[in-house]
Amino acid sequence: MHLNQREQRHHDVPPGIVGDMERFFVNVVAECPYGLDQTAIYHQAVPGRLDEQSMGEFLAHGYRRNGNCIYNMRCPQCSLCVPIRLRPKRLRLNRNQRRVWRKNQDVAVEIAPLTMSRENLNLLQRFLSNRFPAGRSLAESYYSGFFITSISRCFEIRYRVGDRLLGVAVVDGSPSWLNAVYFYFDPEFGWRSPGTLNILTLNHFCTSRNIEHLYLGYWIKDLVGMHYKTAFRPHELLRDGTWREQP
């Protein structure tokens, strides 16, 4: 279901590639992906392949990637989804983050092409079954509909303890930005704080390659599962079209 022009909230059209492509975007109504009692509106388009600069501009304007779709949220009665990013070289680790980093020194990190392997699918299915016990979420559909892309350069970072796969981060990357698309992990390793470990690793990846921005997706203030993102400081939040640092 698409909204007509009169039903859309007013949004200023930004300059550059984002503004140039605005005519290709439509508004699509859906249930809130975060379980909030609100109608969600995805402002989305399916472009051809985007070069690294163009993709970076979309990320800088708060857009996200879902498969080959570029979108942001334009929910008429809700503005809780706030884009969040880090400037990796400015990150100051707190006591808990340093503890997580130390206790995971036995974890091996592998950088590889995005792989829809049986090992990955089995781990993702265990993760989804743990998070969504109703069982409607399938690993294959996540890869085919959400992860796999032809519009940006995507790869994965694998975490292993011995021969066992701990977790997988799906990321888009360029020499100037890194976009965290999704992270899934073995629920049995929750005691290792894998979400925190993943961001620490992505941040280290960026600092070692002089990558300026690490995009962490959306942050929602009252959603407990997202609180760990704002524990990384300083971070930046995109509000009213401007990135503002939170010290």
Side-chain angles (χ1 to χ4, degrees):
M1 177 180 177
H2 295 172
L3 295 184
N4 62 40
Q5 192 64 36
R6 288 175 298 177
E7 295 173 299
Q8 297 178 24
R9 288 194 301 171
H10 173 72
H11 287 265
D12 293 331
V13 176
I17 185 66
V18 180
D20 292 343
M21 291 187 61
E22 175 62 27
R23 66 187 184 277
F24 300 114
F25 280 76
V26 296
N27 285 354
V28 178
V29 178
E31 294 182 2
C32 175
Y34 303 109
L36 303 178
D37 187 20
Q38 301 283 352
T39 297
I41 297 179
Y42 290 81
H43 186 66
Q44 65 182 43
V46 182
R49 184 168 181 84
L50 296 172
D51 58 43
E52 293 170 351
Q53 180 178 347
S54 298
M55 185 67 178
E57 286 189 35
F58 275 105
L59 292 170
H61 282 91
Y63 285 75
R64 304 297 300 154
R65 178 182 73 76
N66 184 340
N68 288 325
C69 177
I70 293 291
Y71 74 95
N72 65 10
M73 305 305 294
R74 295 197 176 177
C75 310
Q77 299 176 344
C78 179
S79 57
L80 294 178
C81 289
V82 180
I84 181 171
R85 74 182 183 186
L86 303 179
R87 290 183 181 267
K89 289 186 177 181
R90 292 178 55 78
L91 181 65
R92 303 185 304 270
L93 301 189
N94 62 28
R95 180 181 300 177
N96 179 64
Q97 290 158 354
R98 290 194 295 270
R99 180 181 61 82
V100 171
W101 189 253
R102 287 196 301 269
K103 76 177 180 181
N104 284 290
Q105 289 303 297
D106 60 330
V107 176
V109 178
E110 305 169 356
I111 300 171
L114 186 65
T115 306
M116 195 170 170
S117 67
R118 179 47 53 188
E119 182 184 36
N120 283 13
L121 290 173
N122 288 342
L123 178 59
L124 177 56
Q125 193 60 60
R126 290 201 301 275
F127 175 82
L128 294 174
S129 297
N130 179 265
R131 290 296 178 92
F132 309 106
R136 294 183 296 174
S137 300
L138 298 177
E140 288 85 352
S141 63
Y142 264 63
Y143 263 88
S144 60
F146 185 16
F147 301 164
I148 294 175
T149 176
S150 62
I151 65 174
S152 63
R153 186 175 66 173
C154 186
F155 60 97
E156 65 185 33
I157 298 178
R158 305 175 194 146
Y159 301 88
R160 293 186 185 277
V161 179
D163 294 331
R164 188 167 175 180
L165 188 62
L166 165 76
V168 177
V170 179
V171 294
D172 298 326
S174 85
S176 59
W177 52 262
L178 195 72
N179 176 40
V181 176
Y182 199 79
F183 176 65
Y184 60 91
F185 59 89
D186 190 331
E188 293 184 18
F189 285 107
W191 60 272
R192 287 181 176 270
S193 304
T196 296
L197 173 64
N198 178 53
I199 293 181
L200 290 172
T201 304
L202 297 183
N203 197 84
H204 178 72
F205 180 94
C206 290
T207 56
S208 65
R209 292 163 175 79
N210 293 315
I211 294 174
E212 184 177 4
H213 293 120
L214 170 56
Y215 290 90
L216 300 181
Y218 286 124
W219 168 72
I220 298 176
K221 181 179 180 181
D222 296 326
L223 200 62
V224 174
M226 290 190 178
H227 285 181
Y228 74 98
K229 293 184 181 183
T230 51
F232 293 87
R233 293 184 176 272
H235 58 264
E236 295 180 339
L237 300 176
L238 182 63
R239 297 186 186 276
D240 299 323
T242 300
W243 289 98
R244 295 183 172 87
E245 184 174 278
Q246 313 298 307

